[in-house]
Amino acid sequence: MDDLLLQKVTIPGPTLASLMHRFSSFTSDTDGLLFGRVSHVIPSSLSDDSDSTSATSTSSSSSTLVATITGFISSGITSSFYDSSGQLDITSLRHLVHPSSNHSLIGWFSARRLSALRPSLREFAVSQSLISKPQFSFPIENNSLKISPCIFLLLTTPFPDHQSLIHTFDYRVFQFRTTSKTFDAKPLDVINIGPAFRGHYSAFCPNSHLPYLMCDPRDSPMKEDGNLRHMKKLSDEQKELDMYVEGYALENLRKLMGSQATSYTSGLEELYEKMLGKLNSLARLVESSSARVLEQEKHNTKLRYKVAGLE
């Protein structure tokens, strides 16, 4: 059976930016899975010509397949779902591909630093092994046919140029073809330019599902103990704050706005005067303590002179 050829691959700008950010945040090379959909697009060719039959036949013959990448999963390491020879680890792959996801597995990606922008022999083996698994095939939108995960996205960082201070990424997308066993380069359209693509900014859907846990963290005694300590800390801080404001609660500040502000202004002024009085008494206490410290230092100096026989 001949391969179903893709015309192009599209990816929303936020998805590509998130993928590049994930790549740059890791200290080593990484790889992962790509999720999305493949659509059967029939371009409309409306014409005012009288020969509508030829226009319809031309439109049906120019129907194309477009793959759209909507999400990805990256573990931060290489060989996360395959071995050193490029053979798939079906157990790990099934753990990463969640069955309840709305998007299908359409391929995988590899991100490596300081390397050429061309697939390696191991990446060739991984793509060949992935496309040969019929359990991962998925239906094409607006079509009755199915297609296997054949997309391979390669990201690299170029070799360092000491004269350039710009951090750049190189990327290229391929379709793996089973008939010729080759990578076919496809154009990658970033759909985030112009007002017509504003709706695509909400198209990114993360597929990193957390593993299922057998215990409920709400029933954990450690969580209850932590909540009690947190509540006790908040209660102590609130008591300390109430001591400083002398019962003038924070809710009373709302009454300073509107028609009732005049009746509560005097209370706030009284609180302010009490605070000034406390500051004044505190300043006098510090001054008195400083005088006592100075007097004690003079007394200690006289004692040292007396012991040394200098007096």
Side-chain angles (χ1 to χ4, degrees), residues 252-307:
N252 293 337
L253 294 178
R254 301 177 182 176
K255 300 177 182 179
L256 297 177
M257 305 295 294
S259 59
Q260 301 179 353
T262 55
S263 59
Y264 291 98
T265 305
S266 58
L268 187 60
E269 291 178 352
E270 183 180 357
L271 176 63
Y272 183 68
E273 291 177 357
K274 289 182 179 180
M275 293 175 63
L276 291 179
K278 289 183 178 181
L279 290 176
N280 189 19
S281 61
L282 181 61
R284 291 183 179 181
L285 181 61
V286 172
E287 183 180 1
S288 177
S289 301
S290 300
R292 292 179 182 179
V293 171
L294 182 59
E295 183 180 355
Q296 185 66 35
E297 289 182 353
K298 291 181 179 179
H299 181 68
N300 294 340
T301 303
K302 290 181 180 180
L303 290 178
R304 285 195 296 268
Y305 286 164
K306 186 176 181 180
V307 171

Side-chain angles (χ1 to χ4, degrees), residues 74-305:
S74 177
S75 60
I77 58 175
T78 56
S79 304
S80 57
F81 57 94
Y82 56 90
D83 56 16
S84 58
S85 62
Q87 298 301 315
L88 296 181
D89 185 355
I90 301 298
T91 304
S92 301
L93 194 59
R94 288 188 180 277
H95 180 73
L96 294 174
V97 181
H98 201 273
S100 62
S101 177
N102 296 327
H103 299 275
S104 304
L105 174 64
I106 64 173
W108 71 294
F109 73 92
S110 177
R112 38 188 167 88
R113 290 177 169 82
L114 304 180
S115 60
L117 194 63
R118 59 175 178 268
S120 63
L121 292 178
R122 180 182 297 177
E123 292 165 349
F124 175 87
V126 174
S127 298
Q128 186 178 15
S129 180
L130 182 61
I131 201 173
S132 63
K133 304 301 180 183
Q135 62 267 35
F136 296 112
S137 61
F138 58 95
I140 301 174
E141 293 185 356
N142 303 326
N143 200 304
S144 59
L145 299 177
K146 285 189 175 183
I147 189 171
S148 299
C150 57
I151 302 298
F152 174 64
L153 177 63
L154 178 60
L155 295 94
T156 62
T157 57
F159 292 96
D161 184 5
H162 300 288
Q163 297 180 355
S164 177
L165 300 178
I166 302 176
H167 186 70
T168 58
F169 293 96
D170 293 334
Y171 55 87
R172 183 175 296 174
V173 66
F174 302 89
Q175 179 187 6
F176 186 81
R177 302 183 60 181
T178 56
T179 54
S180 59
K181 294 184 179 181
T182 57
F183 282 107
D184 189 9
K186 297 296 180 180
L188 181 63
D189 290 352
V190 182
I191 45 178
N192 66 342
I193 302 176
F197 298 106
R198 290 174 182 172
H200 292 281
Y201 277 89
S202 59
F204 176 72
C205 179
N207 291 273
S208 299
H209 300 280
L210 295 177
Y212 294 101
L213 300 177
M214 297 303 295
C215 61
D216 189 356
R218 293 175 296 179
D219 299 334
S220 175
M222 296 180 62
K223 183 175 180 62
E224 295 179 358
D225 187 33
N227 290 337
L228 290 176
R229 287 198 300 268
H230 181 66
M231 293 175 61
K232 187 177 183 302
K233 182 181 178 181
L234 293 179
S235 178
D236 295 339
E237 293 177 353
Q238 185 64 39
K239 289 180 181 179
E240 186 177 358
L241 181 61
D242 292 339
M243 182 182 65
Y244 284 113
V245 301
E246 295 185 352
Y248 197 87
L250 187 63
E251 291 79 7
N252 293 337
L253 294 178
R254 301 177 182 176
K255 300 177 182 179
L256 297 177
M257 305 295 294
S259 59
Q260 301 179 353
T262 55
S263 59
Y264 291 98
T265 305
S266 58
L268 187 60
E269 291 178 352
E270 183 180 357
L271 176 63
Y272 183 68
E273 291 177 357
K274 289 182 179 180
M275 293 175 63
L276 291 179
K278 289 183 178 181
L279 290 176
N280 189 19
S281 61
L282 181 61
R284 291 183 179 181
L285 181 61
V286 172
E287 183 180 1
S288 177
S289 301
S290 300
R292 292 179 182 179
V293 171
L294 182 59
E295 183 180 355
Q296 185 66 35
E297 289 182 353
K298 291 181 179 179
H299 181 68
N300 294 340
T301 303
K302 290 181 180 180
L303 290 178
R304 285 195 296 268
Y305 286 164

